[in-house]
């Protein structure tokens, strides 16, 4: 267990500089977005009030108040989240291929460690999952601060105050990364774990069989996608499932695909990937 924990810590430390940069970009961009977009919204509101000779109450009645959802749909707010997501998806591949193609072909040292190769597999998966959770936790922490800054910059007469939970539900991006219920959290991040395990297995195919492995990996990803989406595809045809049946089928297929991908990826790493 200690070796596994050390491997997880090692993998996180290797990505720490880029990871901290992503956190900093998110912090600066979103807070800058709050200030810039708020000023723009207030400018537009004042111009409308002036041009149409409205009172603030009349403006609110006609156009509604200014709320934080105007911020969450901007590039300055959503952009860093998308950048972080792309970076972590890219790291799913980098976490393996850096070991093979780095300066000192580090994979040889890792595979020769006196520990189970399954621990190496799980340490990489755990490191990525912890970094995802860290980014989500960071967003949850700074969101109330951004909302508070927004409130201080908008006059009370024009402010439409809404709760943090309403903000997350109103934004498609925030609703996706910060599910409102524990069940939704398990579903969203369970699918994420499934996709990561499938990609890990595709990488192991490539590392085991090289050119043939690329084709095998792509085929595996395609078959997995078709299997997982099979209930939805069947509904497009002549089949019909009740919502609970559809959910149950996709849950069962997702669990099977995740388990199969982990087993196959670990087996390939242990028996086919050589130093």
């Amino acid at each position: 267990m200690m070796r596994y924990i050390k491997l997880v810590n090692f993998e996180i430390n290797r990505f720490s500089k880029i990871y901290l940069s992503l956190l900093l970009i998110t912090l600066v961009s979103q807070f800058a977005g709050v200030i810039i977009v708020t000023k723009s919204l207030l400018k537009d509101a004042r111009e409308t009030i002036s041009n149409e000779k409205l009172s603030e109450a009349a403006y609110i009645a006609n156009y509604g108040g200014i709320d934080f959802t105007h911020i969450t749909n901007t590039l300055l707010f959503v952009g860093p989240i998308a950048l972080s997501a792309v970076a972590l998806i890219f790291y799913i591949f980098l976490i393996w291929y850096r070991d093979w193609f780095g300066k000192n072909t580090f994979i040889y040292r890792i595979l020769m460690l006196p520990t189970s190769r399954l621990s190496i597999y799980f340490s990489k998966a755990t490191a990525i999952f912890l970094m995802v959770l860290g980014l989500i936790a960071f967003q949850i922490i700074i969101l109330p601060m951004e909302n508070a800054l927004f409130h201080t910059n908008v006059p009370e007469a024009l402010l439409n105050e809404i709760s943090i939970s309403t903000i997350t539900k109103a934004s498609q991006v925030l609703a996706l990364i910060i599910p409102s219920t524990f069940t939704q959290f398990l579903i969203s991040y369970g699918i994420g774990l499934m996709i990561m395990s499938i990609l890990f297995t595709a990488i192991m195919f490539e590392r085991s069989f090289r050119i043939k492995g690329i084709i095998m990996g792509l085929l595996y990803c395609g078959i997995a996608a078709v299997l997982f989406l099979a209930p939805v595809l069947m509904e497009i045809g002549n089949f019909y499932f009740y919502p609970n049946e559809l959910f149950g089928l996709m849950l069962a297929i997702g669990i099977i695909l995740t388990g199969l991908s982990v087993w196959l990826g670990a087996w390939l790493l242990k028996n086919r990937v050589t130093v």
Side-chain angles (χ1 to χ4, degrees):
M1 179 58 73
M2 286 303 298
R3 285 175 179 170
Y4 162 74
I5 293 173
K6 287 180 179 178
L7 283 170
V8 173
N9 183 61
F10 172 72
E11 293 293 350
I12 291 175
N13 286 338
R14 295 174 84 191
F15 193 64
S16 59
K17 290 182 180 178
I18 299 175
Y19 188 68
L20 290 174
S21 297
L22 291 174
L23 295 178
L24 183 60
I25 290 169
T26 301
L27 182 71
V28 173
S29 179
Q30 290 189 354
F31 272 91
V34 171
I35 295 170
I36 294 169
V37 176
T38 301
K39 287 182 178 180
S40 177
L41 290 170
L42 289 174
K43 180 183 177 183
D44 292 343
R46 291 189 182 109
E47 286 180 354
T48 302
I49 290 171
S50 176
N51 293 337
E52 299 185 15
K53 296 180 172 46
L54 300 172
S55 66
E56 290 180 339
Y59 176 85
I60 295 293
N62 292 341
Y63 298 99
I66 300 174
D67 59 58
F68 197 77
T69 58
H70 292 91
I71 308 291
T72 57
N73 294 319
T74 63
L75 181 61
L76 283 170
F77 191 92
V78 176
I81 298 174
L83 176 64
S84 298
V86 170
L88 287 175
I89 292 170
F90 176 72
Y91 194 61
I92 290 175
F93 296 91
L94 182 64
I95 201 171
W96 287 105
Y97 285 112
R98 178 175 57 182
D99 293 339
W100 264 281
F101 299 114
K103 264 187 179 180
N104 302 314
T105 321
F106 196 71
I107 191 65
Y108 298 141
R109 294 172 59 187
I110 291 178
L111 293 180
M112 293 300 289
L113 288 174
T115 187
S116 168
R117 290 192 179 183
L118 190 61
S119 296
I120 298 171
Y121 181 97
F122 279 123
S123 68
K124 292 180 183 292
T126 303
I128 291 172
F129 190 62
L130 288 177
M131 285 186 281
V132 170
L133 293 182
L135 285 168
I136 303 309
F138 184 71
Q139 184 65 74
I140 292 173
I141 291 169
I142 66 173
L143 187 58
M145 300 178 189
E146 293 164 349
N147 193 36
L149 176 63
F150 175 76
H151 285 183
T152 60
N153 283 278
V154 178
E156 191 173 344
L158 298 176
L159 178 64
N160 181 21
E161 189 171 349
I162 56 178
S163 65
I164 296 297
S165 61
T166 304
I167 292 170
T168 56
K169 290 175 184 176
S171 167
Q172 290 184 342
V173 173
L174 290 179
L176 179 64
I177 66 171
I178 309 175
S180 57
T181 66
F182 185 65
T183 301
Q184 289 177 335
F185 172 83
L186 291 178
I187 293 170
S188 296
Y189 290 95
I191 291 173
L193 282 173
M194 178 190 71
I195 293 172
M196 181 173 67
S197 66
I198 290 170
L199 291 176
F200 269 22
T201 301
I203 292 168
M204 290 303 101
F205 271 122
E206 189 278 328
R207 287 290 85 197
S208 299
F209 303 102
R210 298 303 190 266
I211 300 299
K212 291 180 181 178
I214 295 174
I215 299 172
M216 294 168 71
L218 291 174
L219 283 173
Y220 183 78
C221 290
I223 292 169
V226 171
L227 286 174
F228 182 68
L229 296 174
V232 177
L233 297 174
M234 290 169 68
E235 277 211 325
I236 297 174
N238 297 323
F239 290 86
Y240 176 78
F241 298 105
Y242 289 106
N244 287 340
E245 291 175 334
L246 182 63
F247 172 76
L249 276 172
M250 295 189 75
L251 177 63
I253 294 171
I255 292 172
I256 292 169
L257 282 175
T258 303
L260 176 64
S261 297
V262 170
W263 174 81
L264 184 55
W267 185 86
L268 287 169
L269 180 62
K270 180 180 178 181
N271 296 289
R272 300 295 304 185
V273 176
T274 62
V275 297

